[in-house]
Amino acid sequence: LVSVLSSAIIVYRLPWTWKCSKLLMKFIHAGLNTIAMILAIVSMVAVFEFHNARNIPNMYSLHSWIGLTAVIFYSLQLFLGFAVFLLPFAPVPFRAALMPIHVYSGLTIFATVIATALMGITEKLIFSLKNPAYSTSPPEAMFVNFLGLLLVVFGALILWMASRSHWKRPPEENAKVLRPIGGTPESTEAESTMTDGSNADKSDLRINSEAARKQNLKLDEAGQRSTM
């Protein structure tokens, strides 16, 4: 869950993916999250079956409480992500309003998964290391402690990449990739950075036409309100 979920989080942040279609990246993001969810469910079933076979009580530790909470919220996150951002039914204003919540909840779930893993490996060491004891710092304890430190560093790196603005998918790349089908190279140049006078003229024309279109939309909306 840690490795696959982290890949799903940073899939939009990799520079070599910025020229790919946004729809393609959505499918990759959704696919990675689906794989992580399936693996999380399989692992939960395995844990409960192991506990029942060994007569170990279920859901008694903080590790199990936070882990189950993370899986539940992750399933809700995955469902809302499919329903709102992948399927073409949700209105654009609703998507825009929900996007910050979707990003924040995803990062929070990832941080919770890291914390759950740290508590889990510590709990396993305390129960498993009897002779020599965990408190005597045997090689197994040192190995797992360093593994925990690596998990913290890895989680911090993923959160840093996901929160930096310069790692975000550039808007100009989106405009180039998502230009209308059949668009001419001239229209693409007009949407990119202007490098000569002819491109500047095309940009001015495009801005004027866009302003006129918005004005017409405002007039249409006003007319519709007046007739309601």
Side-chain angles (χ1 to χ4, degrees):
L1 186 59
V2 172
S3 59
V4 182
L5 178 55
S6 62
S7 300
I9 289 175
I10 65 171
V11 69
Y12 290 110
R13 308 285 173 156
L14 304 176
W16 54 85
T17 67
W18 291 346
K19 293 184 178 181
C20 297
S21 168
K22 185 67 175 294
L23 182 61
L24 174 62
M25 302 313 301
K26 279 187 177 183
F27 278 113
I28 294 176
H29 178 74
L32 289 172
N33 278 291
T34 302
I35 293 173
M37 188 70 237
I38 293 173
L39 295 177
I41 294 174
V42 170
S43 63
M44 292 285 292
V45 173
V47 167
F48 280 103
E49 289 187 352
F50 177 78
H51 282 189
N52 295 334
R54 297 292 185 92
N55 294 322
I56 300 175
N58 291 311
M59 303 302 300
Y60 67 91
S61 65
L62 183 61
H63 163 71
S64 59
W65 284 24
I66 296 182
L68 182 60
T69 301
V71 172
I72 292 174
F73 277 97
Y74 187 42
S75 62
L76 294 176
Q77 171 89 344
L78 185 62
F79 173 77
L80 290 177
F82 269 104
V84 176
F85 299 105
L86 195 61
L87 299 179
F89 304 117
V92 174
F94 181 70
R95 293 186 181 189
L98 191 63
M99 177 57 71
I101 301 175
H102 178 75
V103 173
Y104 174 78
S105 59
L107 297 179
T108 302
I109 291 171
F110 175 71
T112 305
V113 169
I114 294 288
T116 304
L118 294 176
M119 288 185 289
I121 60 178
T122 303
E123 179 182 298
K124 183 65 175 178
L125 280 179
I126 293 175
F127 290 158
S128 300
L129 292 180
K130 301 298 183 182
N131 187 22
Y134 182 31
S135 58
T136 61
S137 299
E140 297 88 346
M142 298 299 295
F143 173 78
V144 176
N145 286 345
F146 277 109
L147 175 63
L149 289 176
L150 289 177
L151 278 175
V152 172
V153 173
F154 177 75
L157 179 62
I158 296 297
L159 294 176
W160 180 81
M161 292 178 62
S163 60
R164 299 299 95 185
S165 59
H166 58 272
W167 283 90
K168 290 183 179 180
R169 186 181 174 96
E172 62 272 14
E173 294 294 337
N174 290 340
K176 293 177 183 178
V177 173
L178 299 179
R179 73 175 187 267
I181 297 176
T184 62
E186 288 79 5
S187 63
T188 304
E189 292 176 1
E191 293 174 357
S192 61
T193 304
M194 302 307 168
T195 57
D196 53 30
S198 61
N199 285 339
D201 294 339
K202 292 173 186 176
S203 178
D204 293 339
L205 180 60
R206 181 175 178 273
I207 293 173
N208 292 335
S209 61
E210 183 69 16
R213 187 182 66 83
K214 291 182 179 180
Q215 183 66 25
N216 291 334
L217 288 176
K218 292 180 180 179
L219 293 175
D220 292 340
E221 292 175 358
Q224 292 176 0
R225 288 194 296 267
S226 65
T227 57
M228 292 177 63

